[in-house]
Amino acid sequence: MNETMKTLLERRSIRKYQPRQVDGAALEEILKAGTYAPSTMGRQSAVIVLVQDPETIAELSRVNAEIFGRPGTDPFYGAPTVAVVLADTGLGEANARCDGALVMGNLMNAAAALGIGSCWINRAKETFERSEGKALLKKWGLPETMIGVGNCILGYADGAAGSPAPRRDGRVLRV
Ligand SMILES: Cc1cc2nc3c(=O)[nH]c(=O)nc-3n(C[C@H](O)[C@H](O)[C@H](O)COP(=O)(O)O)c2cc1C
């Protein structure tokens, strides 16, 4: 099978990670793939904030768990790297979310292609609507008008990934 097709079919969400950090060269390739996602009118509205500092990851995780209604848990599964994807709402919130989602997809598929585990972690929108998230935006030099789209956790899988769920019937309509 074509290698790209194989990656698309075999990528799985990883929820258990080894503590070792992602290889730097591989990470650069993953981030580059993220920046090559299609975007509304080619405006490249989405940005990726690479977070590897354990304190900031812990803060993002704490806020995320609170929003989730599961305080004290780690929705980031101990992953050593988090790529936070945010997008500019200049062309509307719907487009910002679409642009960001495609970046997320590229990040996860590129990671899979390079043998690195990933998972989309939700609640980025709510994170950056809160005071803690807004403080991070300020620290990162980003405008408050950016919306959180997703958190892409990255790391080496600890154990084998599960099998994909069977694909639901009737999802492709030929008309
Ligand atoms: C928009 C979106 C939000 C998601 N949020 C979470 C999340 O918060 N936590 C989590 O463990 N997985 C999350 N996932 C991963 C999905 O649960 C996962 O993609 C799905 O179960 C299919 O599994 P697969 O990615 O291995 O094919 C999210 C996926 C998407 C697309």
Side-chain angles (χ1 to χ4, degrees), residues 52-148:
Q52 293 188 306
D53 148 42
E55 278 177 21
T56 309
I57 293 181
E59 167 75 346
L60 286 169
S61 171
R62 183 189 64 76
V63 172
N64 199 300
E66 241 179 69
I67 296 164
F68 203 11
R70 299 182 187 178
T73 64
D74 176 20
F76 289 74
Y77 306 112
T81 291
V82 181
V84 181
V85 174
L86 301 118
D88 197 311
T89 51
L91 285 174
E93 182 161 335
N95 283 319
R97 292 182 75 74
C98 293
D99 288 353
L102 285 170
V103 170
M104 288 289 291
N106 270 21
L107 292 175
M108 294 185 290
N109 284 313
L114 298 175
I116 291 159
S118 70
C119 186
W120 179 319
I121 305 301
N122 225 352
R123 297 164 293 280
K125 180 173 189 287
E126 297 84 348
T127 297
F128 294 96
E129 286 169 351
R130 288 167 59 127
S131 58
E132 297 100 319
K134 288 193 189 303
L136 285 172
L137 288 181
K138 195 168 176 195
K139 188 171 161 188
W140 297 338
L142 293 170
E144 274 203 10
T145 48
M146 303 222 66
I147 56 164

Side-chain angles (χ1 to χ4, degrees), residues 8 15 42 45 51 64 71 75 80 110-111 114 137 174:
L8 292 173
R15 298 189 176 86
S45 84
V51 187
N64 199 300
L114 298 175
L137 288 181
R174 293 178 175 81

